[in-house]
Every structure is written in structure tokens, then in C-alpha cells.
Amino acid sequence: MAESFIRFDKVTKDYGTVRVVEDLDLDIARGEFVSLLGPSGSGKTTLLMMLAGFETVTKGAIILDGQRLNGVPTYKRDMGVVFQNYALFPHMNIARNVAFPLEMRGTAKSDIAARVKRALDMVQLGHLSDRMPGQLSGGQQQRVALARSLVFEPRVVLMDEPLGALDKQLREQMQLDIRELHHRLGLTIIFVTHDQDEALTMSDRIAVFDKGQIQQCATPRQVYDHPANRFVAEFIGETNLLPGKVTGVDGSKIALTMPDGSVLRADGATGLAVGDAALLSLRPERIDLHGPNDAPAGLNSLRGEVADTIYQGDHLRIVVTTPAGRIIARVPRKAAEWPNGASVALGFRPADGWIIAP
Ligand code: ADP
Ligand code: MG
């Protein structure tokens, strides 16, 4: 990884006797887009608040560009912040709202107008600078909040569920807008969300949170294809988890023997040894359905019986009962269909399964 621009070094946060962030390490490179993803209450906002200086650190240190931040007041940290409900000042027009951080910093009057215009043009709202916030839609207001967080060219932009209040269509459009701004301006962005699709869409890396700890921090591809543990496998996307026993390990290639004695082969997390109990994580879309004796050679094959077929418009979800448990496969709408009760073989490539500790 590139040199660390922001470093969380064994950061712990206690509220009274309750520990909400525990011994957390995280390095973020300059220009990186990192999402903090996790269930409600897992400590994401608290981590952001400590970085912004709105909360103190109980133990450990936060370092920005080589400077230890503990004790540095918020206004000296030079960070842009956008929150889910970060209201604009209702009595100021859009241009004045965006000018506010510059006025606070004593920017020369002659510069302010030009910088406000540039920031508003960036979020495609230059033509609305005279309007009042109440005259803008929710999405437009959130874009103004974004412009306000960027206008003073902060070293870091922190966003805490900034799109949470928007409807799905607008949210998806703003995701692409922010992604584009990030690329164009080379910003360092830390983005909190509990929405896995949002994190997958936007991030260079995703830090998956649970109970105040990072379970895994890696690229969207890595966390989805190679989850570090069960929590990550279940939190990101949908997966089938099939219990078995490790009966062979050759580097990252693992053989897993299922309860019915069949053997499945897949890559897996390091640290598993022969004799260990383990789980095969198998994504529904990585599974093909075949006739009971038709699974192509070289694929893993699991026999089962079709229990249900659910039409979902662009794909079919097929529920199959197998000796290893109930498995959901997601197949293209045009794939062959089987009646309930039909015997089938589920096929998947070893590279499409992933074995983890239970
Ligand atoms: P997230 O953003 O992941 O939903 P938070 O960081 O907001 O989680 O909260 C983590 C935990 O810390 C929660 O259990 C929350 O109730 C608790 N918490 C947050 N802020 C405070 C506070 N000011 N005082 C006491 N507990 C708090
Ligand atoms: Mg939060």
C-alpha cells in the first residue's frame, strides 16, 4: 500500500464503561476513497467524529499527514464534513451557504465569489445560487452541502451517510457524481454507509465494521469474493454457507468433505488445517444448474432437488435442497427451468467458492 496519509493507531473509544471502538488500526492513502461499512451501532460515526475532532480518543492516536491529531481542535484539522441531515442555513441563499466556510476562514472577499461559483458549478448548481434552500429538492440541497464541504479545498472529506435520506434513484445518481468528483479532484474521502451496494459502487477500499472493530479492509472485489470471515461473507451480498470438514490443504486450495461424504474443492482463507471444521461460502450467482448427471467435468458438483423457483424479472432464484443444506442459486432468466421435485446437480468452479473458518 502507498504511504499512509491518515493513520488510526490502536484507537479505542469508551463512553463510560461501554467500549464502542476497540484497538482499531487503519491506514488510508492520500487520494483514497475508503468506506466504513457496518451495521448500525458498530462504531462508524464515532470513528469519523474522532477524526474530525468532535469526539476525543480514549486510547491510541490518529495521525494526519505525519501530525498527531489528539488535542488539535476541529477547526484546525481542515476537514470537509457532510452528514445525512446536515441542514443548510435556511435563511441564507445557496451562494451564502457555500461561502460560509470561506468567511469563517477569513478568505479575501475578492476570492470568495469565484470559489463559490466554482464549487457550485462542480455539483451542477451554479444556476441556482440565488435560491433559498427551501426552494431546492432534497438531492439539490445535499449537493449544496457537498459544495460547501469542498469549497475550502479540505485535505480530507468526511461523509456520514450523506445519501441516506434520498430516494433510490437520486441516491444512485449521487453515488456516481461523488465518485466522479473524487476521481477528478483527487480527494481523500472517508465515507460512512450501512448500504453494501453503495460501498461496493464507490470505494477504493471498504472497511467492514462489527462491534467497534474492523473485520476486513480490502477492495470491493476482495471483500466480496474473499471475505475474511463469516461476518463479512454474510454482511456483503448474499451467500450460501455450507458446513464441512477440511480434509486437504495445498497452499490456498482446500478440500472440504461434506456431511454426505462428497468432496468440494475451493480456495480459502489462510490458517485452515486438515481436521478443522469450516464453511464453504458460495454466492448464488456463481452456481449453475445441470441435469443430475450432466455437471461438466472439473466443476464441483452437488446433487439436490428443486424445492422452489422464484421469478424475479431479470433472473430466477432457485431453491435446492441438498444433503449439505438448502442452497439458493441465482440463474439467468433464460436458463432451463425444472419443476419442483426435479433432481439436479449444482455446479461451481473451485475459484468461485471460498472456504472460511466457521
Ligand atoms: P454507527 O455509526 O456505526 O451506527 P455509532 O458510532 O454512532 O455507530 O455508535 C456506536 C455505539 O456507541 C452505539 O452503541 C452508540 O449507542 C454508542 N454511542 C454513540 N455516541 C454515544 C455517546 N455520545 N454517548 C454514549 N454512547 C454513544
Ligand atoms: Mg452512524
Side-chain angles (χ1 to χ4, degrees):
M1 211 191 104
E3 195 185 325
S4 168
F5 180 46
I6 302 169
R7 164 164 291 173
F8 294 89
D9 184 11
K10 304 226 175 311
V11 171
T12 292
K13 176 69 182 178
D14 295 334
Y15 285 115
T17 57
V18 184
R19 181 149 294 179
V20 297
V21 172
E22 183 162 18
D23 214 16
L24 182 142
D25 289 326
L26 176 62
D27 281 293
I28 294 169
R30 197 187 295 270
E32 213 180 4
F33 191 123
V34 173
S35 289
L36 313 183
L37 173 69
S40 179
S42 56
K44 309 180 296 294
T45 294
T46 303
L47 196 72
L48 217 59
M49 292 294 131
M50 289 191 285
L51 178 55
F54 297 125
E55 283 292 352
T56 57
V57 171
T58 307
K59 259 195 291 182
I62 303 178
I63 293 144
L64 171 64
D65 206 7
Q67 184 198 7
R68 196 180 150 95
L69 287 182
N70 304 44
V72 175
T74 297
Y75 69 93
K76 284 194 180 160
R77 297 190 185 195
D78 208 26
M79 295 179 187
V81 213
V82 191
F83 298 119
Q84 178 170 345
N85 299 309
Y86 202 27
L88 302 175
F89 304 115
H91 55 286
M92 294 183 189
N93 72 14
I94 298 311
R96 290 238 17 240
N97 261 281
V98 176
F100 187 77
L102 298 173
E103 289 168 1
M104 291 283 290
R105 286 170 171 76
T107 307
K109 276 233 157 51
S110 50
D111 282 352
I112 290 183
R115 289 178 68 170
V116 167
K117 181 175 184 319
R118 206 172 345 129
L120 280 173
D121 284 345
M122 196 163 62
V123 295
Q124 282 139 37
L125 288 176
H127 59 296
L128 298 182
S129 61
D130 295 333
R131 294 248 189 117
M132 300 304 279
Q135 297 172 298
L136 267 52
S137 71
Q140 288 172 328
Q141 290 188 35
Q142 205 50 326
R143 269 149 66 195
V144 175
L146 194 60
R148 186 172 60 180
S149 77
L150 297 175
V151 70
F152 59 99
E153 295 171 11
R155 291 187 286 182
V156 181
V157 184
L158 309 181
M159 302 189 183
D160 193 352
E161 314 226 12
L163 311 181
L166 307 180
D167 64 46
K168 183 169 153 60
Q169 207 177 346
L170 193 56
R171 201 164 68 224
E172 287 174 356
Q173 188 199 320
M174 292 274 301
Q175 287 169 3
L176 298 180
D177 288 348
I178 294 174
R179 194 181 141 100
E180 210 252 332
L181 274 178
H182 167 248
H183 288 151
R184 189 146 50 88
L185 305 180
L187 299 167
T188 305
I189 299 183
I190 306 182
F191 187 96
V192 169
T193 180
H194 64 266
D195 178 336
Q196 37 141 333
D197 287 330
E198 190 159 285
L200 289 171
T201 301
M202 303 185 73
S203 319
D204 294 319
R205 281 188 305 150
I206 302 175
V208 183
F209 267 64
D210 187 36
K211 300 192 184 87
Q213 294 182 315
I214 293 177
Q215 302 295 316
Q216 184 173 16
C217 184
T219 64
R221 222 174 260 271
Q222 283 167 331
V223 293
Y224 188 84
D225 288 342
H226 298 152
N229 56 37
R230 178 175 189 154
F231 178 84
V232 177
E234 290 189 295
F235 193 77
I236 312 245
E238 187 187 3
T239 198
N240 298 286
L241 290 175
L242 311 179
K245 195 169 185 181
V246 176
T247 47
V249 178
D250 177 10
S252 66
K253 309 254 174 275
I254 294 174
L256 195 67
T257 299
M258 310 310 285
D260 70 340
S262 61
V263 178
L264 301 175
R265 284 166 214 289
D267 288 346
T270 51
L272 288 168
V274 170
D276 288 350
L279 292 170
L280 170 67
S281 169
L282 187 55
R283 301 286 186 191
E285 77 280 6
R286 304 284 163 86
I287 303 172
D288 296 320
L289 257 70
H290 305 276
N293 301 307
D294 298 344
L299 289 194
N300 288 297
S301 162
L302 262 167
R303 295 267 191 113
E305 226 176 59
V306 174
D308 200 3
T309 296
I310 302 153
Y311 178 76
Q312 304 241 270
D314 61 340
H315 70 276
L316 301 172
R317 288 164 66 76
I318 305 194
V319 184
V320 180
T321 333
T322 78
R326 196 188 70 156
I327 295 179
I328 296 188
R330 178 188 166 119
V331 301
R333 192 174 59 80
K334 287 181 177 156
E337 290 192 40
W338 277 268
N340 290 351
S343 291
V344 290
L346 301 173
F348 66 94
R349 298 185 312 149
D352 283 336
W354 181 248
I355 294 170
I356 53 179

